[in-house]
């Protein structure tokens, strides 16, 4: 943890050196001693320290300095670090001024120059001041701080990204905490830059304005560029299927890279509790499953590029080449597509406009805690909606599950329906669908069409979470691998029509079970036509496919 700071300011280099030396001798083990030769540069330094979230315990300044005297400096500095103890260094002739400063300018003490021996004229008084300071000192948060507002889609995107990539951060909602003195001070130090939200402050004192996930990812050391440009196996998609393939591939000696657009874990990473995954009788959260799988994959040497998106593929002889969003390319012998599915959009006026500002696709785990005491709406009747409602109900006053049908029984697992019935603050609203979302800057009301009465009901709402099914986004594969009419990738026996192998297939064998219409390109998990859409089946397919990859590689 960073040591709190003792800052001395003096334009006379000899005095500055002497005070720094004496401070360091006695307090160097517990405090960082910094010296500055002018009040102006000391104030600039204090602002940087504020942005780094450092603590300042003591400010000690000479009274006689050109342009700004010690009292004026300490008064200015007090706006930035009000909790720091303030002391003046004065000559005998300035004693009266110093006494006045104690009374009028909240200076804690003054020291006469020279202070020799320090054991008598400096340390006892400083010990007192620092003891006092220590009594109310609370160590500051040392990681990344994100300043933004709850209703800003950009802030939401960034927080969701950090949470899903398990990057610890402190969230500061500048609207909610507008009256908090520490937030005010920070915003003052930022000046006009404070309007470029979200602002990310890093512990090294640097900052990003209007920050996007990709910039923050680079800064926190998430890897987005490959170490080499050739791999035995490249996997696109870091959900359960991709992670399983990565672990099995790398553990069996394949030089493996995994490319993930958002955060490893995929849809499963958004699940608050997976109850049907073998070996976890009390269930486990998707976040935990993803974290464990990532550790396991890294242990076997898998290179994980995230956030990084695959935007195209092509083949050149035995090589499969992936184009990435940053323009770079990776080539490999075997390519695995495990890109899962993405949420289907809800088509209703106002929904697109307010996305990220009260309307969220999927779990929105980041938002769940902000909904404390509120009534929120979960749209959809599948297991994912049920799990989300169970999670939100821990924070919200009420979670309302809205379904088009008359009940949950045809869309949700019975175990989940039973659990939901037991939760007092989950309500089911059947025969209803979203007609419109209202709100100027964020969601304020939702209009529902009630199919049983054929009437519109408009209700106040601050949060709506949409879980209405999902589709694969595989346009980037068009013209290379065969897909069905909804975009799911065809593999193995699905490619054989009327006993014929797929168009352009030149090998004297049929495609392997999980192989696509291009030899050496495999598809696993939810993105595959006919897949089961479960964590366990994705994991199973990812691992099994590695066996076919070995067979394929043995003939390349
Ligand atoms: C809220 C929720 C709860 C669920 N609960 C359960 C449960 O309890 N039990 C259960 O068995 N199943 C559950 N499921 C279903 C399960 O999570 C999925 O079946 C499973 O995650 C599918 O795994 P996958 O690896 O095929 O795809 P996904 O999990 O969808 O992962 C695909 C990954 O590929 C990435 N990607 C996509 N395109 C690209 C690209 N072009 N470049 C780079 N990366 C890309 C995505 O960002 C994503 O991370 C749940 C799903 C949800 C949403």
């Amino acid at each position: 943890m960073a040591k709190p700071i003792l800052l001395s300011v003096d334009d006379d280099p000899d005095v500055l050196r002497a005070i720094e030396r004496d401070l360091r001798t006695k307090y160097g083990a517990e405090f960082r001693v910094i010296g500055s030769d002018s009040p102006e540069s000391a104030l600039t330094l204090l602002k940087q320290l504020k942005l780094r979230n450092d603590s300042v315990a003591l400010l000690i300044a000479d009274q006689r300095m050109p342009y700004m005297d010690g009292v004026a400096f300490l008064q200015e500095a007090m706006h930035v670090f009000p909790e720091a103890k303030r002391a003046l260094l004065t000559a005998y002739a300035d004693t009266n001024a110093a006494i006045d400063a104690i009374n009028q300018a909240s200076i804690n003490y003054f020291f006469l120059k020279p202070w020799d021996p320090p054991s008598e004229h400096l340390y006892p008084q400083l010990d007192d001041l620092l003891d006092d300071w220590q009594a109310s000192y609370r160590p500051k948060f040392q990681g990344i701080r994100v300043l933004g507002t709850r209703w800003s889609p950009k802030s939401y995107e960034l927080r969701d990204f950090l949470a899903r990539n398990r990057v610890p951060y402190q969230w500061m909602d500048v609207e909610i905490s507008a009256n908090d003195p520490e937030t005010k001070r920070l915003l003052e130090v930022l000046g006009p830059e404070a309007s470029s939200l979200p602002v990310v402050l890093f512990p090294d004192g640097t900052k990003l304005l209007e920050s996007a996930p990709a910039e923050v990812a680079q800064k926190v050391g998430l890897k987005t560029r490959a170490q080499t440009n050739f791999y035995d196996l490249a996997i696109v998609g870091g959900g359960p299927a991709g992670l399983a393939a990565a672990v099995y591939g790398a553990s069996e000696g394949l030089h493996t890279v995994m490319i993930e657009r958002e955060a490893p874990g995929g849809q499963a990473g958004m699940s608050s509790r997976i109850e049907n995954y073998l070996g976890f009788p009390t269930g486990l959260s998707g976040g935990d499953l993803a974290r464990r799988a990532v550790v396991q994959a890294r242990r076997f040497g898998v290179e994980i590029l995230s956030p990084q998106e695959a935007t195209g593929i092509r083949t050149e002889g035995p090589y499969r080449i992936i184009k990435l969003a940053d323009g770079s390319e990776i080539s490999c012998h075997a390519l695995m597509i495990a890109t899962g599915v993405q949420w289907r959009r809800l088509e209703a006026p106002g929904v697109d406009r307010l996305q990220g500002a009260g309307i969220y696709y999927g779990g929105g785990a980041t938002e769940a805690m902000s909904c404390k005491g509120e009534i929120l709406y979960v749209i959809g009747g599948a297991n994912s909606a049920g799990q989300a409602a169970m999670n939100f109900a821990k924070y919200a006053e009420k979670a309302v599950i809205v379904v088009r049908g008359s009940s949950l029984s045809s869309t949700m697992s019975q175990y989940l329906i039973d659990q939901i019935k037991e939760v007092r603050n989950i309500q089911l609203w059947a025969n209803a669908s979203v007609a419109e979302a209202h709100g100027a800057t964020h969601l304020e009301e939702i209009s529902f069409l009630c199919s049983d009465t054929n009437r519109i009901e408009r209700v106040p709402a601050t949060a709506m979470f949409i879980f209405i099914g999902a589709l694969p986004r595989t346009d980037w594969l068009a013209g290379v691998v065969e897909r069905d009419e909804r975009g799911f990738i065809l593999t193995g026996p699905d490619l054989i029509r009327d006993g014929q192998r797929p168009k352009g297939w030149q090998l004297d064998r049929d495609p392997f079970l999980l192989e696509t219409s291009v030899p050496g390109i495999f598809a696993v998990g939810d993105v595959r036509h006919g897949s089961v859409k479960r964590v366990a089946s994705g994991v199973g397919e990812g691992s099994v496919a590695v066996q076919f990859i070995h067979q394929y590689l043995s003939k390349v």
Side-chain angles (χ1 to χ4, degrees):
M1 188 191 299
K3 294 180 193 172
I5 288 158
L6 311 182
L7 175 69
S8 52
V9 188
D10 205 313
D11 62 319
D12 178 334
D14 292 334
V15 180
L16 184 62
R17 255 196 309 277
I19 188 76
E20 277 191 81
R21 180 203 55 216
D22 287 345
L23 289 176
R24 208 164 273 132
T25 307
K26 173 88 197 273
Y27 304 107
E30 286 171 79
F31 295 90
R32 193 145 54 100
V33 176
I34 304 180
S36 172
D37 60 6
S38 81
E40 295 79 10
S41 48
L43 285 172
T44 308
L45 176 69
L46 285 176
K47 288 179 183 168
Q48 282 166 2
L49 296 175
K50 184 93 233 167
L51 294 180
R52 284 170 42 153
N53 218 14
D54 275 317
S55 299
V56 176
L58 175 75
L59 298 158
I60 184 163
D62 200 339
Q63 169 61 1
R64 286 204 187 182
M65 293 187 285
Y67 310 117
M68 186 186 271
D69 65 26
V71 172
F73 164 74
L74 290 172
Q75 281 184 307
E76 278 282 305
M78 197 168 80
H79 296 304
V80 190
F81 284 100
E83 69 283 2
K85 295 295 170 191
R86 295 171 290 278
L88 267 185
L89 287 176
T90 58
Y92 185 73
D94 292 329
T95 308
N96 284 341
I99 292 171
D100 287 348
I102 290 185
N103 293 327
Q104 289 156 21
S106 307
I107 307 294
N108 300 102
Y109 206 83
F110 73 93
F111 296 94
L112 285 178
K113 293 187 286 187
W115 50 86
D116 285 328
S119 55
E120 272 179 40
H121 301 304
L122 185 71
Y123 296 149
Q125 298 80 353
L126 281 184
D127 282 351
D128 242 18
L129 289 181
L130 292 174
D131 277 354
D132 235 28
W133 176 84
Q134 200 91 43
S136 54
Y137 167 59
R138 300 283 168 275
K140 299 271 176 64
F141 178 74
Q142 294 290 308
I144 295 171
R145 286 171 301 155
V146 180
L147 280 70
T149 59
R150 176 179 171 190
W151 302 120
S152 146
K154 275 183 164 182
S155 299
Y156 170 73
E157 185 194 13
L158 183 61
R159 292 168 62 207
D160 190 52
F161 168 80
L162 290 172
R164 289 177 57 201
N165 278 285
R166 285 164 282 284
V167 178
Y169 70 95
Q170 188 181 49
W171 166 239
M172 300 177 76
D173 188 316
V174 296
E175 278 174 5
I176 291 177
S177 52
N179 293 325
D180 166 52
E182 187 57 20
T183 310
K184 273 190 189 159
R185 279 191 284 278
L186 195 56
L187 295 178
E188 260 169 45
V189 166
L190 279 167
E193 291 179 337
S195 56
S196 304
L197 297 171
V199 174
V200 181
L201 302 174
F202 296 93
D204 64 359
T206 56
K207 54 182 177 289
L208 283 173
L209 308 177
E210 293 188 33
S211 344
E215 298 165 298
V216 181
Q218 284 212 334
K219 184 82 187 137
V220 297
L222 292 176
K223 210 163 160 305
T224 57
R225 287 195 160 256
Q227 263 165 15
T228 64
N229 55 12
F230 180 79
Y231 294 84
D232 299 325
L233 169 61
I235 300 160
V236 182
L243 281 164
V247 167
Y248 277 83
S251 68
E252 290 170 21
L254 298 178
H255 184 205
T256 303
V257 65
M258 191 182 85
I259 301 147
E260 165 54 49
R261 184 176 54 199
E262 291 165 15
Q267 296 168 70
M270 294 178 203
S271 169
S272 48
R273 188 137 295 264
I274 299 168
E275 306 229 24
N276 56 357
Y277 191 56
L278 188 71
F280 295 87
T282 56
L284 89 165
S285 78
D288 270 351
L289 180 69
R291 183 180 49 77
R292 286 161 183 258
V294 166
V295 171
Q296 205 174 1
R298 290 219 164 99
R299 223 188 80 218
F300 286 120
V302 176
E303 215 180 296
I304 299 178
L305 310 186
S306 173
Q308 182 58 273
E309 182 174 5
T311 54
I313 52 170
R314 63 176 199 279
T315 60
E316 278 179 22
Y319 302 111
R320 310 289 172 252
I321 295 155
I322 310 159
K323 189 160 193 278
L324 302 179
D326 65 1
S328 61
E329 291 190 335
I330 287 179
S331 65
C332 57
H333 270 150
L335 169 60
M336 172 108 53
I337 298 164
T339 49
V341 288
Q342 278 82 48
W343 295 109
R344 214 155 54 78
R345 319 292 298 176
L346 177 65
E347 305 284 349
V351 170
D352 283 356
R353 185 172 54 83
L354 297 173
Q355 191 189 332
I359 297 185
Y360 309 96
Y361 284 91
T366 324
E367 276 317 294
M369 276 177 266
S370 320
C371 298
K372 232 179 185 157
E374 296 176 5
I375 298 175
L376 56 86
Y377 292 83
V378 175
I379 315 298
N383 280 4
S384 49
Q387 285 179 5
M390 291 284 291
N391 187 35
F392 296 151
K394 291 182 211 150
Y395 309 96
E397 184 187 322
K398 188 162 70 175
V400 184
I401 302 178
V402 182
V403 289
R404 279 176 189 274
S406 56
S407 75
L408 292 173
S409 57
S410 59
T411 49
M412 199 177 282
S413 300
Q414 193 55 44
Y415 80 89
L416 204 48
I417 296 178
D418 294 342
Q419 284 180 5
I420 284 172
K421 277 188 191 146
E422 296 297 311
V423 182
R424 173 197 57 79
N425 60 340
I426 299 184
Q427 182 196 323
L428 175 68
W429 188 353
N431 304 308
S433 56
V434 177
E436 187 169 354
H438 314 270
T441 54
H442 61 87
L443 181 69
E444 291 172 47
E445 289 179 308
I446 311 171
S447 291
F448 289 102
L449 171 64
C450 306
S451 59
D452 44 356
T453 58
N454 213 19
R455 291 177 55 159
I456 296 276
E457 247 191 78
R458 191 163 164 157
V459 295
T462 48
M464 168 161 82
F465 297 90
I466 304 169
F467 296 82
I468 54 166
L471 285 172
R473 271 205 249 145
T474 50
D475 290 349
W476 60 286
L477 299 167
V480 185
V481 298
E482 283 191 28
R483 301 173 299 151
D484 68 14
E485 64 290 346
R486 292 196 300 153
F488 288 98
I489 300 173
L490 297 168
T491 51
D494 293 330
L495 290 160
I496 309 292
R497 288 187 208 96
D498 303 325
Q500 296 296 307
R501 290 173 181 152
K503 210 170 126 215
W505 186 268
Q506 289 172 352
L507 303 182
D508 61 356
R509 62 164 176 84
D510 288 350
F512 291 127
L513 187 62
L514 299 164
E515 200 172 20
T516 69
S517 57
V518 179
I521 301 184
F522 296 77
V524 290
D526 283 12
V527 73
R528 199 178 62 76
H529 169 88
S531 58
V532 179
K533 317 267 183 305
R534 287 283 182 274
V535 173
S537 49
V539 168
E541 289 186 12
S543 355
V544 167
V546 171
Q547 297 314 310
F548 297 119
I549 286 172
H550 281 302
Q551 288 183 43
Y552 169 77
L553 290 177
S554 68
K555 301 263 164 59
V556 173

